[in-house]
Amino acid sequence: WQVPPGAFALLLKDDGTVAYEVNAPRVLNTNFLRDNDARTSRMFHKMKSRALSGGGYVTFQWVGLDGVLKLFTAYAVRNGSGETICLARAA
C-alpha cells in the first residue's frame, strides 16, 4: 500500500486486531478492543461502523508519533475479505 506523507493506513480485523499497517508500526498486532483504553475501543467501533455502512469519514483523537494528542480524520471502508481498511491523517 502507498499512503500520502503524514498519513497512515490500517487493516483491522473484526476482533479489533491490527493485521497490517503502513506508517504505524507501533500498533501492528495490537487489539484495539482488548489491549487499549476506552478511547481506542470507541475509535475502532466508529471505523468499523462507518465501513459497514458503505464507507465514509470518521474523526478521532489519537496520540501522534510526537506524543501529542491530535485530531485525526480517516476514511474507513470494508474490503472483499470482510476487514476494515482505514486511511488516516492528522486534521
Side-chain angles (χ1 to χ4, degrees):
W1 299 356
Q2 293 183 0
V3 298
F8 66 89
L10 303 175
L11 177 66
L12 301 161
K13 295 182 176 258
D14 280 350
D15 70 356
T17 302
V18 179
Y20 186 78
E21 58 73 30
V22 176
N23 296 339
R26 66 182 174 159
V27 298
L28 183 61
N29 298 318
T30 298
N31 185 300
F32 285 167
L33 298 178
R34 184 185 66 230
D35 301 336
N36 288 281
D37 59 18
R39 182 182 307 145
T40 307
S41 179
R42 282 191 304 272
M43 175 191 69
F44 169 77
H45 285 296
K46 284 173 72 173
M47 286 184 208
K48 181 180 173 186
S49 176
R50 186 57 51 106
L52 286 169
S53 69
Y57 289 95
V58 296
T59 58
F60 58 90
Q61 290 187 324
W62 191 336
V63 176
L65 292 175
D66 57 4
V68 176
L69 186 65
K70 298 178 182 180
L71 182 64
F72 283 80
T73 300
Y75 190 83
V77 67
R78 296 291 272 191
N79 67 10
S81 299
E83 299 159 318
T84 298
I85 296 172
C86 169
L87 177 62
R89 186 172 183 164

